[in-house]
């Protein structure tokens, strides 16, 4: 595909038209095979991807690390580069060893809670912070 503007042409190697009706469908088709070779589970929503799995043993930890490497390789191969600065680790459960995880050469930040689709998920799976946030929003509407 060639894109031209003011007499300047550039070749585009991959593209999903933004703002189009077909854009989200093409994106989903494009990333459909992202989890084909993974042992861990994966959640996909729009351009957000979560990788998770049981890490209650050394084998579980290494399996998750290997799957993270596979994701990086997939993203490089398909030219869908990951924003590693936005990637985080949330350790859930009492028996979860809080080990460090890397993507490429970057150690991922470990967090105790993360906002996901408007809900705050905490490492202890308690809902107080999420409920407090929703009450705070509701209070603003009532004032």
């Amino acid at each position: 595909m060639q894109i031209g503007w003011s007499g300047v042409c550039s070749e585009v190697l991959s593209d999903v038209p933004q703002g189009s009706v077909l854009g989200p469908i093409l994106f989903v088709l494009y990333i459909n095979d992202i989890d084909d070779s993974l042992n861990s589970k994966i959640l996909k929503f729009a351009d957000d991807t979560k990788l998770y799995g049981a890490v209650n043993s050394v084998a579980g930890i290494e399996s998750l690390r290997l799957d993270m490497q596979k994701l990086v390789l997939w993203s490089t191969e398909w030219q869908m580069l990951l924003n590693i600065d936005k990637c985080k680790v949330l350790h859930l459960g009492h028996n979860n060893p809080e080990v460090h995880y890397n993507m490429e050469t970057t150690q991922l930040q470990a967090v105790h809670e993360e906002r996901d689709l408007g809900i705050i998920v905490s490492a202890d799976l308690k809902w107080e912070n999420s409920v407090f946030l929703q009450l705070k929003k509701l209070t603003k509407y009532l004032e």
Side-chain angles (χ1 to χ4, degrees), residues 74-138:
W74 180 93
S75 71
T76 303
E77 180 181 334
W78 287 101
Q79 300 174 9
M80 298 279 292
L81 301 181
L82 301 170
N83 188 346
I84 295 175
D85 294 333
K86 288 186 173 183
C87 295
K88 298 176 186 168
V89 176
L90 181 63
H91 298 281
L92 299 175
H94 298 299
N95 296 326
N96 189 336
E98 295 190 10
V99 298
H100 299 288
Y101 294 94
N102 297 317
M103 290 187 88
E104 294 178 336
T105 59
T106 304
Q107 181 175 321
L108 300 183
Q109 177 189 6
V111 296
H112 294 286
E113 63 181 27
E114 183 63 24
R115 188 178 185 146
D116 185 30
L117 300 175
I119 296 173
I120 297 175
V121 179
S122 65
D124 59 6
L125 295 176
K126 293 186 179 175
W127 296 99
E128 288 96 1
N129 291 340
S130 189
V131 170
F132 177 73
L133 179 67
Q134 297 304 320
L135 286 173
K136 188 176 177 182
K137 286 181 183 179
L138 183 61

Side-chain angles (χ1 to χ4, degrees), residues 11-68:
E11 185 174 341
V12 178
L13 301 176
S14 63
D15 187 40
V16 173
Q18 293 184 355
S20 70
V21 175
L22 286 177
I25 295 169
L26 290 173
F27 181 77
V28 168
L29 291 173
Y30 194 69
I31 67 162
N32 192 43
D33 68 338
I34 194 171
D35 53 353
D36 282 354
S37 66
L38 302 179
N39 292 324
S40 303
K41 305 232 187 279
I42 193 168
L43 296 172
K44 300 177 273 192
F45 181 78
D47 63 348
D48 190 24
T49 303
K50 291 168 194 58
L51 181 69
Y52 66 97
V55 290
N56 51 6
S57 67
V58 174
I61 293 167
E62 291 307 315
S63 178
L64 190 60
R65 285 181 171 158
L66 179 61
D67 284 343
M68 291 171 71

